[in-house]
Amino acid sequence: MPTSSDSTLKKIYVKDYRSPQAAIDHAKSIGGARIIFPNGDYPCSLVIDSPNIELFSEGNTILRAKTPSTVVDVQAGGVNFVLDGFDIRGQTLRDELTSNRNGTHKNTKALHCIRIQERGARLRNFKTSGARYDGIYLKYNGQIDFEAQDFLCDSTARNPVSIISGQGFKFIRGKMRLDNKFSAGQGKLRSGIYLFDCEPNNINDKYRDIKFTNVVFENAGTRYGNNQVIFQDTNIGNSNDLGVYFKDCDFIKSGTATGSAYVRLKADGKLKEFSNIHFERTYHQNRAIAIASGRELLLRNSSFNDVVIDDRNLTFAIKLSSGTVVNNVRTTADKSSAKSKAPAVRTSLNKPVNLLLDKKSNVKVTDVPGY
């Protein structure tokens, strides 16, 4: 349910216009407005290209795919967009009754549920699911100042969330979840499908400053797939200084897929450095962090504080390098593979954690069994 009822903008009601887009166009003509949606199911392809447009739901309101374009498309000019209280589906009503067969995606319609290409967007109390590609697609050349809170980014045919470029992202109190409901190849996830994808399209795309607080990353897949939180090379020299923070986050596996939810780093060349990635009070089922494609990577100026891992490794073929701090990392006896949230009580095993250290660096390891 929406919680942000206060607004300084004029309130208008979508029922007074021939369509939701007509209400948005009127709001544009008066310099912005809060557009109120009553309970209902609205097929639409909304374009927001002017400042101060707020979409506010009075209750259980669905914005669903009408065409193969994006359901809510915030384009250049759509500064300070607000969306509060919606269930956004990349499916028509007919799509919901159609099963995906052989990767044809007949049960999806919209390209994305939400696409943001402007600064200052605030998304609250919302759900996304069922697009042909991403639940949320984020791309902006510069300080985007994007915030999402109290959300469920559920399964789509590709990624629940994709960041292409931009600086300044916050994700607060939510869940990223991916299963095989919309995936290609008779239920088998393809390479390139991730729980959360940070992936520049070209050398000019750069991303930085991403903060996750109280976010659950859930691999609910039933077949093999890349259900990870992946950070791909930003082409910034030989060092990817990302400024990524995970605080009070859980990485869990609730399905029968062979892979688990974990953070994955990918670079095009050998001996690439990633830096400034931080974990604080996080919980990981199986692996915590790994690499893609078997290339050797160095992780610098990062931290792992108060981390709990179920029985497996903190690192896998990643060398922790200069400036990295590892403090109070524990393994547990909890091996459950069907959890929607990390367990409140864990039995500690405190087996040695497999840290790969760059012996020439000044990595500091404190209160970790085996070190």
Side-chain angles (χ1 to χ4, degrees):
M1 293 292 290
T3 59
S4 178
S5 57
D6 296 330
S7 177
T8 59
L9 298 175
K10 179 179 179 180
K11 294 180 176 62
I12 63 176
Y13 293 83
V14 73
K15 62 182 177 59
D16 296 331
Y17 300 84
R18 68 180 184 275
S19 68
Q21 186 63 52
I24 290 171
D25 292 342
H26 176 71
K28 177 179 179 179
S29 72
I30 61 175
R34 166 158 286 195
I35 304 169
I36 310 298
F37 287 70
N39 292 357
D41 194 318
Y42 299 83
C44 54
S45 296
L46 304 180
V47 174
I48 292 89
D49 59 3
S50 62
N52 304 318
I53 303 298
E54 299 184 359
L55 307 184
F56 185 81
S57 166
E58 288 186 325
N60 299 317
T61 306
I62 298 171
L63 302 180
R64 77 164 63 245
K66 182 180 181 180
T67 71
S69 60
T70 296
V71 181
V72 179
D73 195 359
V74 182
Q75 301 178 2
V79 181
N80 298 330
F81 171 70
V82 172
L83 179 142
D84 195 332
F86 291 88
D87 181 350
I88 303 172
R89 304 183 188 181
Q91 297 179 287
T92 64
L93 284 170
R94 177 180 293 180
D95 292 332
E96 290 187 344
L97 301 176
T98 303
S99 298
N100 181 39
R101 301 295 176 95
N102 298 320
T104 58
H105 303 307
K106 289 185 177 180
N107 60 344
T108 59
K109 175 69 74 173
L111 187 67
H112 308 286
C113 291
I114 303 171
R115 179 166 58 182
I116 305 290
Q117 298 185 90
E118 189 51 279
R119 65 190 187 279
R122 300 288 184 269
L123 311 182
R124 305 166 179 145
N125 311 290
F126 68 95
K127 300 177 183 178
T128 60
S129 65
R132 282 185 290 130
Y133 289 110
D134 308 300
I136 304 176
Y137 177 97
L138 298 161
K139 182 179 182 182
Y140 184 74
N141 183 22
Q143 193 71 29
I144 190 171
D145 291 327
F146 169 85
E147 182 176 301
Q149 65 180 43
D150 300 307
F151 60 86
L152 170 60
C153 293
D154 215 335
S155 284
T156 65
R158 286 190 71 87
N159 309 312
V161 178
S162 286
I163 292 177
I164 307 302
S165 63
Q167 299 178 26
F169 303 87
K170 293 181 181 178
F171 297 88
I172 304 168
R173 294 188 304 275
K175 178 185 284 190
M176 316 284 180
R177 183 181 180 276
L178 188 59
D179 60 22
N180 300 84
K181 184 176 181 181
F182 304 107
S183 56
Q186 300 181 6
K188 180 178 180 180
L189 289 173
R190 295 173 297 178
S191 176
I193 297 180
Y194 306 101
L195 266 170
F196 192 100
D197 183 25
C198 295
E199 181 177 6
N201 286 337
N202 57 62
I203 196 169
N204 296 316
D205 291 333
K206 296 174 173 55
Y207 60 87
R208 197 179 187 282
D209 187 17
I210 309 171
K211 294 180 173 62
F212 302 95
T213 306
N214 287 304
V215 175
V216 176
F217 300 91
E218 181 181 359
N219 176 354
T222 57
R223 299 282 295 276
Y224 176 79
N226 294 333
N227 292 20
Q228 297 108 30
V229 180
I230 190 164
F231 298 98
Q232 307 202 44
D233 196 348
T234 60
N235 301 295
I236 305 174
N238 189 51
S239 179
N240 295 291
D241 189 339
L242 300 183
V244 174
Y245 293 82
F246 296 96
K247 184 176 182 180
D248 297 307
C249 293
D250 301 326
F251 299 80
I252 63 175
K253 174 183 171 181
S254 63
T256 57
T258 55
S260 58
Y262 57 87
V263 175
R264 189 180 188 201
L265 307 180
K266 182 178 181 181
D268 290 333
K270 292 184 178 181
L271 296 175
K272 271 283 189 177
E273 293 181 349
F274 283 78
S275 64
N276 204 7
I277 302 177
H278 305 274
F279 299 80
E280 181 176 356
R281 295 193 303 273
T282 56
Y283 168 76
H284 309 258
Q285 287 186 311
N286 302 123
R287 186 176 295 153
I289 189 166
I291 66 168
S293 305
R295 296 185 176 94
E296 185 178 14
L297 300 177
L298 298 177
L299 183 60
R300 301 182 58 214
N301 298 327
S302 299
S303 61
F304 301 83
N305 288 307
D306 301 323
V307 172
V308 176
I309 308 170
D310 277 351
D311 199 40
R312 296 288 182 88
N313 299 335
L314 172 63
T315 62
F316 179 75
I318 290 180
K319 287 187 178 180
L320 303 183
S321 190
S322 298
T324 297
V325 176
V326 184
N327 179 50
N328 190 27
V329 177
R330 292 288 182 270
T331 57
T332 78
D334 186 352
K335 301 175 183 175
S336 174
S337 62
K339 294 185 180 298
S340 60
K341 188 72 175 175
V345 179
R346 308 180 184 97
T347 303
S348 180
L349 285 179
N350 290 343
K351 289 183 177 179
V353 176
N354 182 17
L355 298 177
L356 299 180
L357 306 180
D358 181 353
K359 298 186 183 304
K360 298 179 181 179
S361 70
N362 61 345
V363 175
K364 296 181 180 179
V365 182
T366 307
D367 195 21
V368 177
Y371 289 86

